[in-house]
Amino acid sequence: MKTIKNYLYLLLAGTFVLFSACEETGETVAPADLNAISTYSPTIEGDNVTFNGNLKNANSTIEYGFMWYVQPSGQEEAVVHRLVVGNGDINGDFTKVVANLPKGVSLVVCAFVDYKDATQQVINAIGEEIDFTYD
């Protein structure tokens, strides 16, 4: 009888451990890896700046492109400019040539991608923020 009781305790403990380990599996999974978006250093050529990025495994991309802003010097909030490069699926590099950026100030650029999940809700992801100065 004691062996059966010990067996039931082990079975109960094993079941508890199994369900505890599976407790976190209810999270929503994005349709693509949200870390698949990358920002590269911009290329500065004369009056133009070329923003450079890369996106991998974006099977359900809505839009992708770049966001840039002037880095605030004080407590003011940055005004973010969103530049859409394209929409739909993409797997690779993308660029955007931008003219008339403010000169002589610290600028920040990052690539972005918007996905739709299975419920048609938009999920936003951004790449690394790159600081640069355009003189």
Side-chain angles (χ1 to χ4, degrees):
M1 183 73 163
K2 196 164 187 116
T3 305
I4 292 174
K5 193 175 185 182
N6 288 341
Y7 176 73
L8 288 174
Y9 280 128
L10 284 174
L11 183 62
L12 180 62
T15 304
F16 177 75
V17 169
L18 179 66
F19 284 118
S20 295
C22 296
E23 211 171 280
E24 297 298 321
T25 61
E27 59 190 57
T28 304
V29 177
D33 181 6
L34 295 180
N35 296 319
I37 184 83
S38 298
T39 310
Y40 303 125
S41 293
T43 307
I44 301 172
E45 297 172 337
D47 290 336
N48 295 325
V49 175
T50 302
F51 294 153
N52 303 294
N54 182 284
L55 181 58
K56 295 179 182 164
N57 303 322
N59 295 332
S60 60
T61 307
I62 300 171
E63 292 182 329
Y64 59 92
F66 298 97
M67 294 185 289
W68 70 271
Y69 60 90
V70 175
Q71 196 166 33
S73 59
Q75 297 297 328
E76 70 271 8
E77 190 170 319
V79 176
V80 178
H81 305 272
R82 185 177 163 112
L83 304 171
V84 175
V85 172
N87 54 39
D89 295 341
I90 179 176
N91 190 8
D93 294 335
F94 60 95
T95 62
K96 177 74 172 179
V97 177
V98 183
N100 302 323
L101 286 175
K103 293 185 177 186
V105 294
S106 294
L107 300 169
V108 178
V109 65
C110 66
F112 77 86
V113 61
D114 295 339
Y115 299 102
K116 274 193 179 176
D117 68 7
T119 64
Q120 299 298 307
Q121 191 168 5
V122 176
I123 301 169
N124 308 101
I126 63 170
E128 306 79 11
E129 291 188 346
I130 307 290
D131 299 346
F132 70 101
T133 303
Y134 173 50
D135 291 322

